[in-house]
Amino acid sequence: MATMLELKGRIGSVSSTQKITGAMKMISSAKLQKAESLLTHARPFRRQLQNTINNLLSTGEGYLSPLSEERPLQKAAIVVFGSNEGLCGAFNSMASGLLSQKAAELKKQGASTVTVYVIGKKIKSFVSKVKGIELADTSYISSQNGAAGIKQLAEELMSKFLGKEFDRVEVIYYRFKSISSQKLTDETFLPIQVEADDTPVVNNDYIFEPDSKTIYQTILPLFVHATLYDDWLQNQTSEQAARIIAMQTANDNANKLLEELQLDYNKLRQQNITNELLDIAGGSIR
């Protein structure tokens, strides 16, 4: 059985850990608000691009783009978004597990090589254990230049897809729903599949300048940029939400452990006091 000194040390250790997890939860809450704000402000641009595409598609003309070309699968790429920091539960391990499954699936479909772009410092240690993949350089993407780095990545992926270095590009990321819900998602990024959504088109009687095809070819790369940027923001927001849940769970467990340790400490203290009283009483009788 543990001594009072040992129990006191464990109580102090758990209490210190609880303070750290509580502070990290507060920091993640502030970061979550900032990430949600960025996500909210980025959505109107992507929505407007989608509306413009809807208007173009509503004219009934067929639009072809090299970015939407379907080709036999020989070379594939996967962009996997993870976290830059730890202490966010199974956030990285689950994304790495889906990456492993997706890579195996692409190879079964005929891909001879699978190149992986890893976004996030912490997830790299998980991805390095996945067999049968080639890691691409993503050192130019950091938390300080996130938007610029994601734009550069989108340009690189489009360039390699158009140059037929990749026949398909997949993206794995967490879609943010709420603080308590983040959905791990796998989507085909290239070839881009642009379809009209459910937004009603009020009027499709347009005069296009210079012409609708040129406008479509100009908007499509912007839509690709906006899509990858939105995926990155979704994942950034989900990371902070996952960390809040992880830190809250750690706090709750620390509270339960502190209660148990304090109870054991009080029992042992009471037992020692009782033993001392018995010794005193026994000595006076003798």
Side-chain angles (χ1 to χ4, degrees), residues 124-142:
K124 286 184 179 180
S125 60
F126 290 89
V127 173
S128 62
K129 301 175 184 177
V130 178
K131 297 180 180 179
I133 62 172
E134 298 177 4
L135 293 180
D137 178 33
T138 55
S139 58
Y140 53 86
I141 302 174
S142 65

mmCIF file of all heavy atoms in Angstrom, residues 124-142:
data_model
loop_
_atom_site.group_PDB
_atom_site.id
_atom_site.type_symbol
_atom_site.label_atom_id
_atom_site.label_comp_id
_atom_site.label_asym_id
_atom_site.label_seq_id
_atom_site.Cartn_x
_atom_site.Cartn_y
_atom_site.Cartn_z
ATOM 1 N N LYS A 124 3.210 13.342 -39.556
ATOM 2 C CA LYS A 124 4.290 12.764 -40.362
ATOM 3 C C LYS A 124 4.861 11.505 -39.721
ATOM 4 O O LYS A 124 5.244 10.563 -40.412
ATOM 5 C CB LYS A 124 5.398 13.805 -40.576
ATOM 6 C CG LYS A 124 5.012 14.890 -41.567
ATOM 7 C CD LYS A 124 6.166 15.836 -41.835
ATOM 8 C CE LYS A 124 5.760 16.900 -42.860
ATOM 9 N NZ LYS A 124 6.866 17.846 -43.140
ATOM 10 N N SER A 125 4.917 11.483 -38.388
ATOM 11 C CA SER A 125 5.440 10.297 -37.710
ATOM 12 C C SER A 125 4.525 9.091 -37.905
ATOM 13 O O SER A 125 4.986 7.944 -37.934
ATOM 14 C CB SER A 125 5.612 10.573 -36.214
ATOM 15 O OG SER A 125 4.372 10.921 -35.621
ATOM 16 N N PHE A 126 3.225 9.334 -38.057
ATOM 17 C CA PHE A 126 2.280 8.247 -38.305
ATOM 18 C C PHE A 126 2.373 7.783 -39.762
ATOM 19 O O PHE A 126 2.386 6.585 -40.048
ATOM 20 C CB PHE A 126 0.851 8.705 -38.000
ATOM 21 C CG PHE A 126 0.568 8.923 -36.542
ATOM 22 C CD1 PHE A 126 0.794 10.164 -35.961
ATOM 23 C CD2 PHE A 126 0.072 7.900 -35.753
ATOM 24 C CE1 PHE A 126 0.528 10.375 -34.617
ATOM 25 C CE2 PHE A 126 -0.193 8.098 -34.407
ATOM 26 C CZ PHE A 126 0.037 9.335 -33.832
ATOM 27 N N VAL A 127 2.444 8.751 -40.685
ATOM 28 C CA VAL A 127 2.456 8.426 -42.108
ATOM 29 C C VAL A 127 3.735 7.707 -42.508
ATOM 30 O O VAL A 127 3.741 6.870 -43.409
ATOM 31 C CB VAL A 127 2.271 9.715 -42.944
ATOM 32 C CG1 VAL A 127 2.441 9.436 -44.430
ATOM 33 C CG2 VAL A 127 0.888 10.309 -42.691
ATOM 34 N N SER A 128 4.838 8.000 -41.816
ATOM 35 C CA SER A 128 6.120 7.372 -42.153
ATOM 36 C C SER A 128 6.082 5.854 -41.977
ATOM 37 O O SER A 128 6.911 5.133 -42.540
ATOM 38 C CB SER A 128 7.240 7.961 -41.291
ATOM 39 O OG SER A 128 6.994 7.707 -39.915
ATOM 40 N N LYS A 129 5.100 5.347 -41.217
ATOM 41 C CA LYS A 129 4.985 3.909 -40.991
ATOM 42 C C LYS A 129 4.144 3.211 -42.062
ATOM 43 O O LYS A 129 4.093 1.985 -42.099
ATOM 44 C CB LYS A 129 4.363 3.651 -39.610
ATOM 45 C CG LYS A 129 5.167 4.244 -38.456
ATOM 46 C CD LYS A 129 4.441 4.076 -37.134
ATOM 47 C CE LYS A 129 5.200 4.765 -36.000
ATOM 48 N NZ LYS A 129 4.463 4.673 -34.715
ATOM 49 N N VAL A 130 3.466 4.006 -42.912
ATOM 50 C CA VAL A 130 2.626 3.421 -43.965
ATOM 51 C C VAL A 130 3.520 2.906 -45.087
ATOM 52 O O VAL A 130 4.403 3.620 -45.576
ATOM 53 C CB VAL A 130 1.621 4.463 -44.509
ATOM 54 C CG1 VAL A 130 0.787 3.862 -45.633
ATOM 55 C CG2 VAL A 130 0.718 4.965 -43.385
ATOM 56 N N LYS A 131 3.304 1.676 -45.501
ATOM 57 C CA LYS A 131 4.140 1.047 -46.527
ATOM 58 C C LYS A 131 3.570 1.291 -47.921
ATOM 59 O O LYS A 131 2.377 1.484 -48.091
ATOM 60 C CB LYS A 131 4.247 -0.451 -46.261
ATOM 61 C CG LYS A 131 4.921 -0.793 -44.944
ATOM 62 C CD LYS A 131 4.994 -2.296 -44.739
ATOM 63 C CE LYS A 131 5.676 -2.642 -43.413
ATOM 64 N NZ LYS A 131 5.741 -4.100 -43.188
ATOM 65 N N GLY A 132 4.475 1.300 -48.906
ATOM 66 C CA GLY A 132 4.063 1.381 -50.302
ATOM 67 C C GLY A 132 3.715 2.765 -50.806
ATOM 68 O O GLY A 132 2.983 2.903 -51.783
ATOM 69 N N ILE A 133 4.233 3.812 -50.149
ATOM 70 C CA ILE A 133 3.954 5.182 -50.579
ATOM 71 C C ILE A 133 5.264 5.958 -50.726
ATOM 72 O O ILE A 133 6.297 5.564 -50.187
ATOM 73 C CB ILE A 133 3.024 5.927 -49.592
ATOM 74 C CG1 ILE A 133 3.691 6.048 -48.206
ATOM 75 C CG2 ILE A 133 1.681 5.241 -49.487
ATOM 76 C CD1 ILE A 133 2.934 6.913 -47.245
ATOM 77 N N GLU A 134 5.192 7.069 -51.472
ATOM 78 C CA GLU A 134 6.324 7.979 -51.607
ATOM 79 C C GLU A 134 5.924 9.333 -51.020
ATOM 80 O O GLU A 134 4.862 9.869 -51.355
ATOM 81 C CB GLU A 134 6.702 8.148 -53.082
ATOM 82 C CG GLU A 134 7.148 6.857 -53.758
ATOM 83 C CD GLU A 134 7.444 7.061 -55.237
ATOM 84 O OE1 GLU A 134 7.374 8.235 -55.689
ATOM 85 O OE2 GLU A 134 7.720 6.079 -55.937
ATOM 86 N N LEU A 135 6.750 9.863 -50.144
ATOM 87 C CA LEU A 135 6.443 11.143 -49.503
ATOM 88 C C LEU A 135 6.975 12.298 -50.340
ATOM 89 O O LEU A 135 8.141 12.301 -50.738
ATOM 90 C CB LEU A 135 7.040 11.202 -48.100
ATOM 91 C CG LEU A 135 6.445 10.245 -47.063
ATOM 92 C CD1 LEU A 135 7.143 10.420 -45.715
ATOM 93 C CD2 LEU A 135 4.948 10.478 -46.911
ATOM 94 N N ALA A 136 6.113 13.265 -50.609
ATOM 95 C CA ALA A 136 6.500 14.460 -51.357
ATOM 96 C C ALA A 136 6.917 15.559 -50.382
ATOM 97 O O ALA A 136 6.570 15.540 -49.200
ATOM 98 C CB ALA A 136 5.342 14.930 -52.229
ATOM 99 N N ASP A 137 7.642 16.524 -50.876
ATOM 100 C CA ASP A 137 8.114 17.640 -50.050
ATOM 101 C C ASP A 137 6.986 18.634 -49.813
ATOM 102 O O ASP A 137 6.395 19.153 -50.758
ATOM 103 C CB ASP A 137 9.290 18.337 -50.737
ATOM 104 C CG ASP A 137 9.782 19.533 -49.940
ATOM 105 O OD1 ASP A 137 9.705 19.488 -48.693
ATOM 106 O OD2 ASP A 137 10.233 20.518 -50.558
ATOM 107 N N THR A 138 6.671 18.879 -48.546
ATOM 108 C CA THR A 138 5.661 19.885 -48.188
ATOM 109 C C THR A 138 6.225 20.864 -47.163
ATOM 110 O O THR A 138 5.478 21.466 -46.403
ATOM 111 C CB THR A 138 4.398 19.217 -47.615
ATOM 112 O OG1 THR A 138 4.779 18.371 -46.507
ATOM 113 C CG2 THR A 138 3.688 18.371 -48.666
ATOM 114 N N SER A 139 7.546 21.010 -47.161
ATOM 115 C CA SER A 139 8.194 21.869 -46.169
ATOM 116 C C SER A 139 7.835 23.345 -46.355
ATOM 117 O O SER A 139 8.020 24.143 -45.441
ATOM 118 C CB SER A 139 9.721 21.699 -46.241
ATOM 119 O OG SER A 139 10.206 21.999 -47.538
ATOM 120 N N TYR A 140 7.328 23.695 -47.532
ATOM 121 C CA TYR A 140 6.980 25.098 -47.791
ATOM 122 C C TYR A 140 5.640 25.483 -47.160
ATOM 123 O O TYR A 140 5.235 26.651 -47.224
ATOM 124 C CB TYR A 140 6.936 25.370 -49.298
ATOM 125 C CG TYR A 140 6.048 24.430 -50.083
ATOM 126 C CD1 TYR A 140 4.693 24.677 -50.236
ATOM 127 C CD2 TYR A 140 6.574 23.288 -50.681
ATOM 128 C CE1 TYR A 140 3.882 23.814 -50.956
ATOM 129 C CE2 TYR A 140 5.774 22.416 -51.392
ATOM 130 C CZ TYR A 140 4.437 22.691 -51.537
ATOM 131 O OH TYR A 140 3.634 21.830 -52.248
ATOM 132 N N ILE A 141 4.943 24.524 -46.555
ATOM 133 C CA ILE A 141 3.663 24.811 -45.902
ATOM 134 C C ILE A 141 3.872 24.798 -44.397
ATOM 135 O O ILE A 141 4.340 23.808 -43.829
ATOM 136 C CB ILE A 141 2.590 23.772 -46.283
ATOM 137 C CG1 ILE A 141 2.390 23.734 -47.791
ATOM 138 C CG2 ILE A 141 1.260 24.087 -45.589
ATOM 139 C CD1 ILE A 141 1.449 22.639 -48.257
ATOM 140 N N SER A 142 3.549 25.902 -43.746
ATOM 141 C CA SER A 142 3.672 25.992 -42.291
ATOM 142 C C SER A 142 2.466 26.745 -41.747
ATOM 143 O O SER A 142 1.645 27.273 -42.495
ATOM 144 C CB SER A 142 4.970 26.717 -41.904
ATOM 145 O OG SER A 142 4.935 28.063 -42.339
#
